[in-house]
Amino acid sequence: MKGIVLAGGHGTRLYPVTLAVSKQLLPVNDKPMIYYPLSVLMLAGVREILVISTPADLPNLQRLLRDGSHLGLDISYARQDEPHGLAEAFIIGAGHIGDDPVAMVLGDNVFHGNAFYDILQRSVADVDGCVLFGYPVSDPHRYGIAETDAEGRLISLEEKPAEPRSNRAIVGLYLYDNNVVDIAKNISPSARGELEITDVNRVYLERGKARLVDLGRGFAWMDAGTPESMLQASQYVQTLEQRQGVRIACVEEIALRMGYIDAAACHRLGSQLAPSGYGTYVCAVAKEFGHRTG
């Protein structure tokens, strides 16, 4: 499976900060925002990843993530001059996707949950059409909303409905079979001239090829695209990290535990980040892992 991190757009909800810097490079507690969606793809076992962003922001993202080889990944980049809807990512990334299925994650989404690895592994192993992820929210009129029947089957999708039929928001993580490229190329733009991801999902729904995975209690999902939500995400991450002594979305640790790099490589990466607390943590994880497996 190929992966896409959609990190485009102008970050207007965060103006004036994003007049000078990419939203995905802003810190969510102790690490750049883009580490959170990147970690999702890594946990799903996706190692070939395309980062899509604006021409102005791509150089800084490349400086941060490089070609991904230091994490055992293959990261490439593509430009999106202007945002024309989430589904445009599949057209821009058609060459990257090739004949494979694809996982796309939005660059400002933060996910965390104890069972998330297992959920991702099961979902990636069974992509017949599209797999969407639902999360209960208190303000469903702000999101794409999924409705299910009594047996939990997906029966309708609405984008920012005035009268929502449920409170299950579709989060910014999507799994698709290879048909998504052709579907994205053939949907009609919305009144705003955008290729809406909900329209892509409706095609799969009409074909009977869409399913919903519920992310319920014990799970956290945040769209960190506003000052308020970014602060909330930072406070959430900070609280857990301080109390539990672990780092959420530490890409070096994930690469080590997924077997993408070894303990020595992980320790070198941590040393390059010293004397920050993040770098110290990476070194400690590498040392502990090396002792345990040596």
Side-chain angles (χ1 to χ4, degrees), residues 38 42 47-49 62 64-77 251-252 255-256 259-262 265-266 268-269 272:
L38 178 62
M42 294 174 69
R47 301 177 69 174
E48 295 179 66
I49 298 168
Q62 289 175 295
L64 174 68
L65 301 176
R66 296 172 273 169
D67 65 359
S69 59
H70 61 294
L71 298 172
L73 307 176
D74 179 1
I75 299 179
S76 55
Y77 300 85
V251 293
E252 295 84 0
L256 174 63
Y260 302 162
I261 61 174
D262 60 21
C266 185
R268 284 195 298 272
L269 293 175
Q272 293 166 10

Side-chain angles (χ1 to χ4, degrees), residues 149-261:
D149 62 17
E151 283 73 41
R153 291 187 293 260
L154 188 62
I155 58 175
S156 76
L157 294 164
E158 297 179 282
E159 184 64 29
K160 297 180 180 179
E163 297 182 5
R165 298 180 182 179
S166 85
N167 69 338
R168 286 189 183 88
I170 301 297
V171 305
L173 172 63
Y174 314 87
L175 309 180
Y176 297 100
D177 64 18
N178 193 254
N179 292 316
V180 71
V181 175
D182 287 335
I183 292 172
K185 288 178 179 178
N186 287 288
I187 61 172
S188 299
S190 67
R192 298 182 298 174
E194 297 185 351
L195 299 178
E196 301 285 358
I197 197 71
T198 299
D199 291 335
V200 170
N201 296 336
R202 283 200 189 102
V203 172
Y204 280 104
L205 179 61
E206 291 166 1
R207 295 177 179 179
K209 292 289 188 176
R211 68 184 181 93
L212 183 74
V213 176
D214 262 317
L215 303 174
R217 290 187 177 184
F219 197 90
W221 166 68
M222 288 156 280
D223 170 358
T226 68
E228 296 80 10
S229 60
M230 191 164 69
L231 177 60
Q232 290 171 358
S234 292
Q235 291 172 331
Y236 173 85
V237 172
Q238 181 187 43
T239 298
L240 283 182
E241 290 188 347
Q242 286 185 340
R243 291 188 176 184
Q244 298 182 356
V246 299
R247 302 268 171 164
I248 296 171
C250 176
V251 293
E252 295 84 0
E253 179 179 10
I254 293 170
L256 174 63
R257 297 192 185 280
M258 292 293 292
Y260 302 162
I261 61 174

